[in-house]
Every structure is written in C-alpha cells, then in structure tokens.
Amino acid sequence: MMFNRLLNRITMNEGVCSGKPSIRNMRFTVAQMLELIAAGMTFDEIQSDYPYIEREDISACLLYASTIANNKGMMAISETV
C-alpha cells in the first residue's frame, strides 16, 4: 500500500535525533520538515536547499503528521513503525 511505503520513510531510532521521528534515519526530523512547510517553502524550494531530501520524504512527513492528528490513526502509526 502506498501509505505504508511512505510511512516506512519515517524512522524512530534512539541513536538519531534522540528517537524523534526523522526521515530515513537521517538527522532531519519530521518536525523540521513541517516547520519548513509551515513557513511557506514549496517542495521544490525544500529540495533545492536540501538535495538529499526526496519528494516522497516530504509527502511522508505530511502523511505522518496527518495520521497523528487523526486520533484513530495513532494505532496505525504504532503498528507500522
């Protein structure tokens, strides 16, 4: 399923960013990505500033955040991670 493939890009590893949700075990957290988007950056601008970030990473962060915002989605995240 596409959602699972995207959510697999979000990792939680105690050795990376103190276990905060991050992108593909890199030191780039979901929260950092959401802050960039909230500040008005486009996908293209984010990719230009951070060339190691893929479009799917950005989508994965948005999906992760939307799943957490949906109370019923909390169980789905814990089951896939």
Side-chain angles (χ1 to χ4, degrees):
M1 177 178 274
M2 184 177 154
F3 285 162
N4 286 338
R5 185 175 55 84
L6 282 175
L7 286 177
N8 285 336
R9 290 175 167 269
I10 306 303
T11 54
M12 287 179 271
N13 178 342
E14 283 300 318
V16 178
C17 298
S18 301
K20 293 178 183 175
S22 63
I23 298 170
R24 295 182 285 125
N25 271 322
M26 295 187 290
R27 297 194 179 282
F28 199 110
T29 66
V30 171
Q32 288 172 297
M33 179 62 70
L34 296 174
E35 288 169 2
L36 295 177
I37 294 167
M41 288 185 76
T42 66
F43 281 28
D44 290 335
E45 290 170 333
I46 292 168
Q47 286 188 283
S48 177
D49 286 356
Y50 305 94
Y52 50 89
I53 296 294
E54 300 171 4
R55 290 184 83 76
E56 291 83 5
D57 296 328
I58 302 169
S59 295
C61 289
L62 291 170
L63 177 60
Y64 183 86
S66 70
T67 304
I68 286 188
N70 176 2
N71 289 331
K72 292 180 183 178
M74 293 292 283
M75 292 302 288
I77 286 179
S78 64
E79 291 171 3
T80 59
V81 176

